[in-house]
Amino acid sequence: MAELGYRPDPAARSLAERRTRTVGVVLDDLANPWYVDLLAGLRSVLHERGLRPLLADGHIEPDAVHAMAGLRVEGLLIVGTPSDDTVTQVRDVAPSVPVVIAGTREPRLPSIDGVANDDEAGARMATRHLLDLGHERIAHIIGVGAVGRIRCATFDATMSAGHGVATTVAGDWTEATGHRVAWQLLDRPDRPTAIFAANDLSAVGVLAAADELGLRVPEDLSVVGYDNTVFSRLRRLSLTTVDAHIDEVGRGAGRLLLEQIEDADGSPKAQVVTRLLEPTLVARGSTGPVGTL
Amino acid sequence: MAELGYRPDPAARSLAERRTRTVGVVLDDLANPWYVDLLAGLRSVLHERGLRPLLADGHIEPDAVHAMAGLRVEGLLIVGTPSDDTVTQVRDVAPSVPVVIAGTREPRLPSIDGVANDDEAGARMATRHLLDLGHERIAHIIGVGAVGRIRCATFDATMSAGHGVATTVAGDWTEATGHRVAWQLLDRPDRPTAIFAANDLSAVGVLAAADELGLRVPEDLSVVGYDNTVFSRLRRLSLTTVDAHIDEVGRGAGRLLLEQIEDADGSPKAQVVTRLLEPTLVARGSTGPVGTL
DNA sequence: CTGAAAGCGCTTACAG
DNA sequence: CTGAAAGCGCTTACAG
């Protein structure tokens, strides 16, 4: 019995204990490096309680939520903006399995608890940073979905309060679109002296457009992103950005999910909780005082 | 019985069938975007056979291999250069569970089947590309481990054959070190006119050093990376690189593992197989003809 | 071909 | 406090 190396068979154990010690994590898109730190934070919290995360990509596996429910996960964490399929399936399973959504604001799932960064605070910091550097004509490249709308609305409000001249243009979080719309914004005489892009990848597209137009960064153009991804840290990009402290978001979401799992047979869920974490501005080389012309 | 939405309990099923339909995937470092395409390829192959991957990060979970063996995975895939801990544990479990190693050459595990890209072919392509552009003084930033050694040896051999002047300097796959050693290479009169870095991230560090030294890319300096990661595709980096077709590596590794799982009770493993896939050169904006001075 | 029984390897409540 | 039995929800070999 006490022989070394014995490990109980987990299938037999799950069956006898009537629990799987597994939590499903449905990601928006594994290719986005944004998630990695969130997963690290989540994993550490789950590990303390003997739970393991089971990962699935909502794009590669369109029925991921149903699949995980079929696997009898004890809880479900949705990370990033979910697809329509994912939203529909979450509504199906939410009555029977605890669900938390992390890293995004999701009006389509109003009854689900969530943890995210405070996008209003972050967008305000980014915009103020540019206003404080003396910029007056500032453009914003909008992201898709609820997060994009919040960042854009806050940009507009902060610009109004700071008596700046705001321009906004639709983007889609990608570098390619950031690059394309930056050309539209910059290739004209009354161009903005600064651009705040709704995420780092869009901002990296702006940097490329600036190069092609012969605009120096930050002398002729300041650029701010959002997320503090690995891209923004590359020396040749050196992008000023907003750090959403995504590892803390992962930890908070993990704790919220653990609470729900442990209260599952107790009181019938007090009320919906959406916890917002305070982001931080990370000033790098892509922003500077407005040019003296 | 035929009610909609019935799914057999997987724990009970595993116990009765005596198989878990799960394959363990141990990654070197989840933060490296390199893996994502490999996982997509692997997942598609496993899915056809009703198997699911279970992911673990060898850095975050140092006993990942033993943990997966404890979970009764039917096979184990090691992705990228394994840590010493991982190598030791693989030696423990290899007699009882099929193991395949993907994306790297691993002399410490000589009895394990593997799939990787042909690093000799790739390094030769990268070096020849620079020689063909007229470069004579070319430096190489070396990577760590067996893969790094193979790429470096091939660089040296190709340079000799092409009558070039080769310099090599130790790196560690990171952008920070790439940046630091690029300064050493470039901040002197007899600087090389081209640098081949063992991976994209090191090459991106070289681009930053070139900027700081006032060297234009590609007019004053050509730069080549390796891996065709998301970094190399960013327009502001536009890095010429070697595409290792990592999704194909993932698919090949998945197929090899499936063969081993299905032959497990049959013939006693014919011989060790290491399959090498042919890489491709992707020419972008970071390389050009040697400057006419 | 159909259907009841045995067994997968554990945990846990219960009898001694 | 210890130890044998029941039961977790399936699959599969076997008896009818």
Side-chain angles (χ1 to χ4, degrees):
Chain A
M1 290 284 176
E3 288 174 301
L4 289 169
Y6 169 75
R7 292 262 138 198
D9 183 308
R13 197 167 194 240
S14 288
L15 190 60
E17 285 185 334
R18 306 154 137 277
R19 52 173 305 195
T20 56
R21 297 178 180 274
T22 297
V23 163
V25 180
V26 178
L27 301 170
D28 184 21
D29 174 14
L30 245 174
N32 190 331
W34 184 86
Y35 302 114
V36 176
D37 290 335
L38 189 149
L39 288 177
L42 173 71
R43 192 179 289 265
S44 69
V45 169
L46 294 182
H47 194 259
E48 291 170 13
R49 294 295 225 283
L51 292 167
R52 334 189 97 259
L54 189 64
L55 269 49
D57 186 321
H59 282 201
I60 296 174
E61 267 185 275
D63 66 336
V65 171
H66 279 149
M68 310 221 109
L71 291 167
R72 308 296 195 273
V73 294
E74 298 184 27
L76 208 50
L77 186 68
I78 310 299
V79 179
T81 302
S83 66
D84 291 342
D85 277 353
T86 299
V87 168
T88 308
Q89 293 171 66
V90 166
R91 289 208 188 97
D92 283 355
V93 306
S96 51
V97 48
V99 184
V100 166
I101 185 158
T104 187
R105 317 282 268 273
E106 189 47 65
R108 292 175 295 170
L109 293 169
S111 61
I112 304 294
D113 288 353
V115 181
N117 99 102
D118 187 339
D119 294 292
E120 282 158 41
R124 201 179 305 119
M125 281 174 196
T127 312
R128 283 242 175 92
H129 173 65
L130 293 171
L131 288 168
D132 290 348
L133 286 166
H135 295 277
E136 291 173 355
R137 291 197 311 281
I138 309 178
H140 176 62
I141 300 177
I142 312 170
V144 174
V147 168
R149 282 194 297 276
I150 295 171
R151 292 181 188 172
C152 181
T154 307
F155 167 77
D156 280 332
T158 309
M159 287 295 283
S160 294
H163 306 292
V165 182
T167 311
T168 60
V169 54
D172 61 1
W173 306 119
T174 67
E175 191 227 359
T177 299
H179 176 254
R180 184 169 51 73
V181 302
W183 261 92
Q184 297 169 15
L185 289 167
L186 295 173
D187 190 23
R188 53 194 222 194
D190 63 334
R191 63 173 178 82
T193 63
I195 296 180
F196 165 37
N199 72 334
D200 285 350
L201 219 39
S202 302
V204 172
V206 174
L207 294 178
D211 287 351
E212 292 157 4
L213 285 156
L215 298 172
R216 294 163 303 163
V217 175
E219 292 84 353
D220 303 319
L221 180 74
S222 283
V223 182
V224 181
Y226 205 115
D227 286 340
N228 194 25
T229 54
V230 59
F231 301 120
S232 62
R233 289 190 282 267
L234 296 177
R235 285 170 176 75
R236 202 190 213 194
L237 304 178
S238 188
L239 186 67
T240 295
T241 188
V242 178
D243 186 347
H245 299 299
I246 200 69
D247 54 332
E248 279 300 330
V249 171
R251 247 187 294 277
R255 278 192 284 259
L256 211 55
L257 192 56
L258 285 172
E259 280 174 35
Q260 284 198 22
I261 291 172
E262 280 155 21
D263 290 2
D265 40 50
S267 49
K269 193 157 153 185
Q271 63 181 77
V272 178
V273 177
T274 300
R275 210 147 71 82
L276 294 184
L277 304 186
E278 195 68 7
T280 312
L281 187 84
V282 181
R284 293 203 181 90
S286 68
T287 50
V290 66
T292 50
L293 193 43
Chain B
M1 290 290 174
E3 287 174 302
L4 289 169
Y6 169 76
R7 292 261 139 199
D9 182 308
R13 198 167 194 238
S14 287
L15 191 59
E17 287 186 332
R18 306 153 137 277
R19 53 173 304 198
T20 56
R21 298 178 179 276
T22 297
V23 164
V25 180
V26 178
L27 301 170
D28 184 21
D29 174 13
L30 245 176
N32 190 332
W34 184 86
Y35 301 115
V36 176
D37 290 335
L38 188 148
L39 288 177
L42 173 71
R43 193 180 288 267
S44 69
V45 168
L46 294 182
H47 195 260
E48 291 169 13
R49 295 296 224 284
L51 292 167
R52 335 189 97 257
L54 188 64
L55 267 50
D57 186 320
H59 282 200
I60 295 176
E61 268 185 273
D63 65 334
V65 172
H66 279 149
M68 311 219 108
L71 290 167
R72 310 292 196 272
V73 293
E74 298 184 25
L76 207 50
L77 186 69
I78 310 299
V79 180
T81 302
S83 67
D84 292 341
D85 277 353
T86 299
V87 169
T88 308
Q89 293 172 66
V90 166
R91 290 209 187 98
D92 283 356
V93 306
S96 51
V97 47
V99 184
V100 165
I101 185 159
T104 186
R105 316 280 269 272
E106 191 44 66
R108 290 175 297 169
L109 293 169
S111 61
I112 305 293
D113 289 353
V115 180
N117 98 100
D118 187 339
D119 293 293
E120 281 158 44
R124 199 179 306 118
M125 281 174 195
T127 310
R128 282 240 175 93
H129 173 64
L130 293 171
L131 287 168
D132 290 348
L133 286 166
H135 295 277
E136 291 173 356
R137 291 196 311 282
I138 308 178
H140 176 63
I141 300 177
I142 312 171
V144 173
V147 169
R149 282 193 297 276
I150 295 171
R151 291 180 188 173
C152 181
T154 308
F155 167 76
D156 280 333
T158 310
M159 286 296 283
S160 294
H163 306 293
V165 181
T167 310
T168 61
V169 53
D172 61 2
W173 305 119
T174 69
E175 190 227 2
T177 299
H179 175 255
R180 185 169 51 73
V181 304
W183 262 90
Q184 296 169 15
L185 289 168
L186 296 173
D187 190 22
R188 54 193 219 195
D190 63 334
R191 64 173 179 79
T193 63
I195 296 181
F196 165 37
N199 72 335
D200 285 351
L201 219 39
S202 301
V204 173
V206 174
L207 294 177
D211 287 351
E212 291 158 4
L213 285 157
L215 298 172
R216 294 164 303 163
V217 175
E219 292 83 353
D220 302 319
L221 180 74
S222 283
V223 181
V224 181
Y226 204 115
D227 285 341
N228 195 25
T229 56
V230 59
F231 301 118
S232 63
R233 289 189 282 266
L234 295 177
R235 286 171 176 73
R236 203 192 212 193
L237 304 179
S238 189
L239 187 67
T240 295
T241 188
V242 178
D243 186 347
H245 299 299
I246 199 69
D247 55 331
E248 279 300 330
V249 172
R251 247 187 293 278
R255 277 192 285 259
L256 211 54
L257 191 56
L258 286 172
E259 280 175 34
Q260 284 199 22
I261 291 172
E262 281 156 18
D263 291 2
D265 39 51
S267 47
K269 192 158 152 187
Q271 63 181 79
V272 178
V273 178
T274 299
R275 211 147 72 82
L276 295 184
L277 304 185
E278 195 68 7
T280 312
L281 187 84
V282 181
R284 294 203 180 91
S286 68
T287 48
V290 67
T292 49
L293 193 40

